[in-house]
Amino acid sequence: MSVEKSNLEVAVALPVHHTFTYSVPSFLSPFVAAGKRVLVPFGQRRVTGYIMGPAAETEPAEIKHILDVLDQDSLFPASMIPFYHWIGDYYKHPIGDVIKNALPGGLTLYDYAAVSITAEGQTAIRQKSLTSLQRSVLALLESGPCRLKNLNEKLNQNVPAALVQSLQRSGWIAKTRELKRASSLTRTERHIALGRPDAPRDRLSKARCKIIEILGRQGEMSMSDLKSRAPDAARLVRALEKDGYLTVRQKRVYRDPFGETIRADSALDLNAEQQRVVAQVTGRLGQGFGVFLLQGVTGSGKTEVYMQIAAEVLRRQQSVLVLVPEIALITQMERRFRARFGERIAVLHSGLSAGERFDQWSLILQGKAQIAIGARSAIFAPFDTVGLVIVDEEHDASYKQENNLRYNARDLAVVRAKQNDCLALLGSATPSIQSCYNARVGKFIEVNLKQRIERRSLPGIKIVDLRESMGYRGVRRFITSELQRAIKQTLDRKQQVLLFINRRGFANFAICRSCGQALRCKHCDISLTYHQKANALRCHYCGYSRAATSSCDSCGSSEIKKIGLGTEKIESTVQKMFPEARVARMDRDTTTRKGSIFRLLKGLKNQSIDILVGTQMVAKGHDFPNITLVGIICADLSLSLPDFRAGARTFQLIAQVAGRAGRGASPGRVVLQTYNPDHFSISAAKDQNYAAFYEQEIQFRRALKYPPFSRMIQFKISGMDPQLTRDHAERLGHLCLALKTSNAPVYDSVEVLGPIESSLAKIARRYRWQILLKSTHVKDLHQFIGRLMADHPKVFNNRRVRVVVDVDPVSLL
């Protein structure tokens, strides 16, 4: 969309909640369009802005000019601008930062303060009257300019602003503002073609004639392809170009994030249930906005249903957006879709390099990809129009972004479908309570797949009471005889085993034998976890690490006992129990390197792994027919969390991981170990009875007015000073209560809970408090927050105490 007005509405990539008006110099006017980046002055700085369209009529005032237009083509379609505005308003987040988060990384330009030494400073450095700190600063700057904010870090000491100012007044240093350029640029490659095919070759060497002959047969080629056929090409092409034999031009190339080539397939025959779901959803295409909740048991063929509905959307010349909760699942989904739809697929997720992500984004913008598959950030895929939004495993908490822009991609999928007047399809074997409730009250349309494909049976689940093994020592308490026997039987049949425990590391507590104190993180209020492979004690919240041979902080004793267990310990124990088995582990520690997830999944598929030990990564959506046994080491770990969703998460996790068993021709079974066999979440999961679980859970939430019977907003208050943080939290609490009481009955429905110290009172050196606001009327709650933020901006923009507004929080820890 071109912008014809001389004044533009621009969102700047800074923490400000509104847009700004800038004028366009005549020489830049032809290049202006909605969705492009511009460089704009902002105070004393130059920053990136995003053109939102023509500005509304304003009172005559001094309006600053944009400095430059940074893009040849728009980075997002104008149709997405209302989506960005909705997100900024609902999540109370700066609109420019919303767009910055949506776009591929590395595209934001900004300037920064830098200092450099002058000629006078180089002379002054030899003066004996200098203080040691003055001399250190000047000596550092002799090696080159330095960002002002990096002086402390490079000198490893505090450099007061007054000292920098005095050096500047003395003329020994100069302060400038430097512009940081974008890092995510397009990649180009030289392409070679014949220039004069009839040019005489009698004086050319054999090597040069060979290059001309290759290009004569093949036509234009990239330099890398030409070098594979003629190794001397890089050395000879320039001379041949100079003599007119060849032409050379730069062409854009796209980095390929995909793995190996995939064999094409065709649509599978559907069973009666699948046909009914496909017919019901496709029958609503083109009839406006609607949300379907597909509740399908594990192994019921939901992915095939997604693909056949997507095929109909593509036939209507519309785009499809597919969300999966984690990167580990993207590979499997992407392979299935690529086999069916070929190269019309783009993937978007944080596991790609900045360049790969930018290229995938560009393919969508250029219309070369009609299907985007990705994790939560793929909700921002820059389709001009969307015909269908699919959210697989819609219950998964991973759809909630837990830092910066704290959005929920599952909820935004519904919003985007509504703004595009199309359908959203939410799928899960264990739907979220919120979505199931919306289906029961008629907001969503519920469709079901109650049978596994080919009428395969759901796995049988046997509960093992861990209280009966409490007398045993060591790992025998957790690898019970029942589970050990089942593993042996499965391996004897040449089948695969999945062992699940939602805790990584080797031992989750390191305790002093002398005084009984746990070794704790020095930055967080949490005990350290022992990792055997790294021989280190690590914090899973801030990353702090110390040697495993560390002494006790309280008494100095070196007698440290490591107790508890995690994936690493289970892996080690199982390998000793079954030395012939090939054991692998899938958790955050083993999947950080690029391609590691793909290699693990490939090993399962090729059956080069006999036993896979993993965290919740293994519980979601994976389909490996030879896994016939799932062992749940301890089903209670999530039950003890101080969160009203603990029961639902436990039920969903058990049901999902149990569903990995028996997805092939051989029946599956599950050994579920627990200390709480009578808990309703455990018993409902054993019976695989979602309806029974939902009925009990919804009564509990209705009684306490928890979602879906209310909406919540959480203030997360944190700071480095414990007393200052507490005081700030209490002040914010008083402001909340004052606003509520002074505006009764307008805000009668708003409940203020807290302030209270967070369950994890300290993380990464920051002390943490929280306030929870709850209301049965979402409009009242959002008006309350908007008024509070507008009336007290300094409370929410404090340098020493950070206040984060988390709308619809998923974690209350």
Side-chain angles (χ1 to χ4, degrees):
M1 181 182 82
S2 63
V3 179
E4 297 177 359
K5 290 193 176 183
S6 59
N7 290 343
L8 301 177
E9 181 190 9
V10 175
V12 295
L14 291 172
V16 288
H17 284 265
H18 52 278
T19 57
F20 297 86
T21 299
Y22 286 89
S23 62
V24 184
S26 58
F27 70 93
L28 289 177
S29 186
F31 309 104
V32 165
K36 288 188 177 183
R37 291 174 303 149
V38 287
L39 189 66
V40 296
F42 194 87
Q44 300 300 312
R45 306 172 60 185
R46 293 169 292 168
V47 299
T48 298
Y50 308 101
I51 300 175
M52 309 296 278
E57 296 295 335
T58 58
E59 294 294 323
E62 185 179 349
I63 298 175
K64 295 181 179 179
H65 288 314
I66 63 170
L67 303 175
D68 198 1
V69 179
L70 302 175
D71 300 303
Q72 182 176 347
D73 301 304
S74 296
L75 290 176
F76 54 86
S79 59
M80 289 191 69
I81 292 173
F83 186 52
Y84 294 144
H85 275 298
W86 190 97
I87 294 169
D89 181 61
Y90 185 81
Y91 289 105
K92 307 303 178 189
H93 198 84
I95 178 66
D97 202 53
V98 168
I99 300 173
K100 178 183 172 182
N101 276 271
L103 295 175
L107 291 173
T108 303
L109 278 68
Y110 59 89
D111 65 0
Y112 56 88
V115 286
S116 58
I117 192 169
T118 62
E120 292 86 351
Q122 289 176 332
T123 302
I125 198 171
R126 290 185 286 275
Q127 294 182 12
K128 293 182 179 180
S129 59
L130 290 180
T131 67
S132 61
L133 185 55
Q134 287 176 324
R135 184 171 282 105
S136 296
V137 171
L138 293 175
L140 171 68
L141 297 180
E142 277 193 310
S143 61
C146 176
R147 292 180 67 166
L148 191 57
K149 73 174 188 177
N150 290 350
L151 276 178
N152 294 349
E153 180 184 335
K154 290 195 173 184
L155 291 175
N156 198 26
Q157 59 181 312
N158 181 48
V159 180
L163 184 140
V164 173
Q165 291 167 6
S166 70
L167 291 174
Q168 191 177 2
R169 283 195 301 270
S170 300
W172 296 345
I173 66 171
K175 188 188 291 187
T176 57
R177 298 200 71 86
E178 304 291 334
L179 189 66
K180 179 185 180 297
R181 286 288 171 188
S183 60
S184 182
L185 302 175
T186 56
R187 176 182 288 180
T188 59
E189 186 175 3
R190 286 188 295 167
H191 277 65
I192 321 298
L194 287 180
R196 294 183 296 156
D198 57 343
R201 307 181 193 175
D202 51 321
R203 296 184 180 181
L204 295 179
S205 65
K206 288 184 178 180
R208 297 187 185 197
C209 287
K210 181 181 178 181
I211 290 172
I212 293 173
E213 289 169 4
I214 292 171
L215 292 170
R217 293 194 305 270
Q218 301 292 329
E220 183 178 276
M221 299 176 67
S222 68
M223 175 60 83
S224 57
D225 285 344
L226 182 58
K227 282 165 60 178
S228 67
R229 292 173 169 81
D232 294 332
R235 180 172 57 86
L236 300 175
V237 160
R238 185 169 295 176
L240 287 168
E241 179 191 19
K242 184 179 179 181
D243 294 338
Y245 289 97
L246 305 179
T247 61
V248 180
R249 61 176 180 141
Q250 296 284 345
K251 288 181 67 175
R252 181 173 179 181
V253 294
Y254 293 92
R255 286 150 281 214
D256 183 11
F258 299 123
E260 62 205 40
T261 303
I262 297 170
R263 187 178 301 168
D265 75 356
S266 56
L268 304 178
D269 292 332
L270 302 178
N271 61 32
E273 277 190 330
Q274 290 173 310
Q275 289 175 13
R276 187 162 55 249
V277 171
V278 170
Q280 196 168 348
V281 177
T282 55
R284 274 293 308 271
L285 290 173
Q287 296 182 25
F289 168 66
V291 182
F292 282 87
L293 175 62
L294 171 57
Q295 183 177 354
V297 299
T298 55
S300 58
K302 292 187 289 294
T303 303
E304 184 63 30
V305 167
Y306 297 154
M307 289 194 292
Q308 296 210 16
I309 296 170
E312 178 58 32
V313 175
L314 294 181
R315 280 193 285 271
R316 295 167 180 252
Q317 304 299 308
Q318 293 178 308
S319 303
V320 179
L321 181 53
V322 183
L323 301 185
V324 294
E326 288 193 359
I327 295 174
L329 291 175
I330 293 174
T331 298
Q332 180 170 288
M333 188 71 78
E334 169 254 311
R335 289 173 63 87
R336 295 280 302 274
F337 270 74
R338 281 184 70 207
R340 185 70 50 85
F341 300 108
E343 299 306 314
R344 292 186 284 178
I345 309 296
V347 291
L348 292 171
H349 58 78
S350 59
L352 303 179
S353 68
E356 287 172 341
R357 185 175 170 83
F358 181 69
D359 286 347
Q360 295 294 297
W361 185 273
S362 299
L363 289 173
I364 296 170
L365 275 173
Q366 296 165 15
K368 295 178 180 178
Q370 292 81 46
I371 300 175
I373 301 173
R376 58 179 174 257
S377 62
I379 191 61
F380 301 113
F383 290 120
D384 192 15
T385 58
V386 179
L388 176 68
V389 185
I390 296 170
V391 184
D392 191 34
E393 310 290 358
E394 67 85 29
H395 67 279
D396 201 290
S398 299
Y399 283 121
K400 174 72 172 181
Q401 173 78 19
E402 289 292 359
N403 53 44
N404 201 4
L405 172 57
R406 295 171 180 260
Y407 65 93
N408 190 312
R410 188 267 319 276
D411 297 342
L412 289 187
V414 175
V415 173
R416 191 154 188 198
K418 186 173 184 178
Q419 291 190 349
N420 280 265
D421 205 27
C422 70
L423 297 182
L425 176 59
L426 315 181
S428 176
T430 55
S432 63
I433 298 298
Q434 181 80 43
S435 293
C436 191
Y437 177 78
N438 284 336
R440 299 290 171 91
V441 299
K443 289 184 179 179
F444 295 174
I445 304 166
E446 185 174 354
V447 288
N448 294 281
L449 295 173
K450 298 180 180 180
Q451 297 290 328
R452 282 187 159 185
I453 57 173
E454 299 179 2
R455 297 193 174 275
R456 293 170 184 156
S457 60
L458 288 167
I461 300 179
K462 179 176 178 56
I463 288 184
V464 175
D465 191 341
L466 285 175
R467 292 174 297 184
E468 296 177 2
S469 61
M470 290 180 70
Y472 292 110
R473 299 185 62 182
V475 82
R476 287 186 61 198
R477 291 177 57 189
F478 297 99
I479 304 291
T480 61
S481 57
E482 182 83 29
L483 179 56
Q484 187 174 353
R485 189 163 51 249
I487 294 172
K488 183 178 185 308
Q489 292 168 352
T490 304
L491 295 177
D492 288 344
R493 292 194 295 267
K494 306 298 182 185
Q495 295 169 346
Q496 292 169 301
V497 178
L498 175 61
L499 297 179
F500 168 77
I501 179 168
N502 207 21
R503 181 177 285 159
R504 60 192 174 101
F506 190 86
N508 53 302
F509 290 104
I511 293 180
C512 175
R513 292 179 184 270
S514 299
C515 69
Q517 291 293 316
L519 271 63
R520 306 184 74 82
C521 175
K522 71 175 185 179
H523 305 314
C524 306
D525 187 22
I526 196 76
S527 59
L528 296 171
T529 298
Y530 173 58
H531 288 250
Q532 186 181 56
K533 189 171 183 180
N535 196 30
L537 295 162
R538 290 177 175 168
C539 174
H540 288 175
Y541 284 88
C542 74
Y544 169 74
S545 179
R546 61 191 287 187
T549 54
S550 299
S551 300
C552 175
D553 296 325
S554 298
C555 69
S557 171
S558 59
E559 295 293 315
I560 305 298
K561 182 180 181 180
K562 302 172 183 72
I563 62 175
L565 76 164
T567 49
E568 201 175 10
K569 190 168 189 176
I570 296 297
E571 177 193 27
S572 173
T573 301
V574 170
Q575 189 67 80
K576 291 174 184 175
M577 284 182 170
F578 304 98
E580 301 302 319
R582 296 161 296 180
V583 183
R585 175 164 50 95
M586 186 175 182
D587 56 24
R588 193 178 301 174
D589 297 325
T590 62
T591 57
T592 52
R593 289 189 177 182
K594 188 172 183 178
S596 56
I597 292 174
F598 177 76
R599 286 190 292 272
L600 276 169
L601 298 180
K602 188 175 181 180
L604 275 178
K605 180 183 177 183
N606 297 339
Q607 299 183 31
S608 60
I609 295 173
D610 299 314
I611 302 174
L612 179 68
V613 180
T615 57
Q616 63 180 357
M617 281 186 171
V618 304
K620 306 169 185 179
H622 299 297
D623 187 11
F624 296 104
N626 203 44
I627 291 178
T628 58
L629 173 66
V630 166
I632 300 174
I633 303 298
C634 183
D636 310 302
L637 296 180
S638 56
L639 272 178
S640 58
L641 295 176
D643 193 322
F644 72 91
R645 296 186 179 92
R649 287 178 179 150
T650 300
F651 171 84
Q652 289 164 340
L653 203 51
I654 294 172
Q656 290 286 339
V657 73
R660 300 314 105 203
R663 298 170 76 96
S666 301
R669 58 174 172 162
V670 179
V671 177
L672 191 163
Q673 302 182 153
T674 175
Y675 288 105
N676 295 279
D678 298 323
H679 192 283
F680 82 95
S681 297
I682 303 289
S683 57
K686 174 188 178 297
D687 298 333
Q688 299 172 71
N689 190 339
Y690 178 84
F693 169 77
Y694 172 82
E695 291 303 327
Q696 187 153 349
E697 179 73 9
I698 205 70
Q699 290 176 30
F700 154 68
R701 296 199 185 186
R702 183 183 286 112
L704 297 178
K705 293 184 180 178
Y706 281 130
F709 301 101
S710 68
R711 293 290 184 91
M712 299 192 306
I713 294 179
Q714 185 181 32
F715 291 141
K716 298 182 177 181
I717 306 121
S718 66
M720 307 290 277
D721 184 302
Q723 188 59 48
L724 196 65
T725 306
R726 179 186 186 125
D727 292 345
H728 200 85
E730 290 178 348
R731 182 188 174 199
L732 182 53
H734 289 315
L735 292 174
C736 290
L737 291 173
L739 179 60
K740 175 179 166 63
T741 54
S742 64
N743 286 270
V746 179
Y747 297 134
D748 276 353
S749 70
V750 178
E751 246 186 292
V752 181
L753 305 174
I756 189 173
E757 200 170 24
S758 299
S759 299
L760 295 173
K762 183 184 175 189
I763 291 180
R765 299 181 180 177
R766 301 188 71 87
Y767 296 88
R768 306 168 72 242
W769 285 69
Q770 62 184 32
I771 298 171
L772 191 65
L773 305 180
K774 196 165 69 164
S775 178
T776 53
H777 296 89
V778 63
K779 187 176 180 181
D780 292 351
L781 185 60
H782 278 257
Q783 284 182 346
F784 184 93
I785 293 294
R787 175 77 179 274
L788 194 67
M789 294 176 72
D791 290 351
H792 307 284
K794 290 184 179 180
V795 174
F796 293 89
N797 295 284
N798 187 293
R799 286 179 177 267
R800 300 187 66 185
V801 180
R802 183 189 306 152
V803 179
V804 170
V805 180
D806 191 356
V807 179
D808 301 332
V810 167
S811 172
L812 300 181
L813 298 181

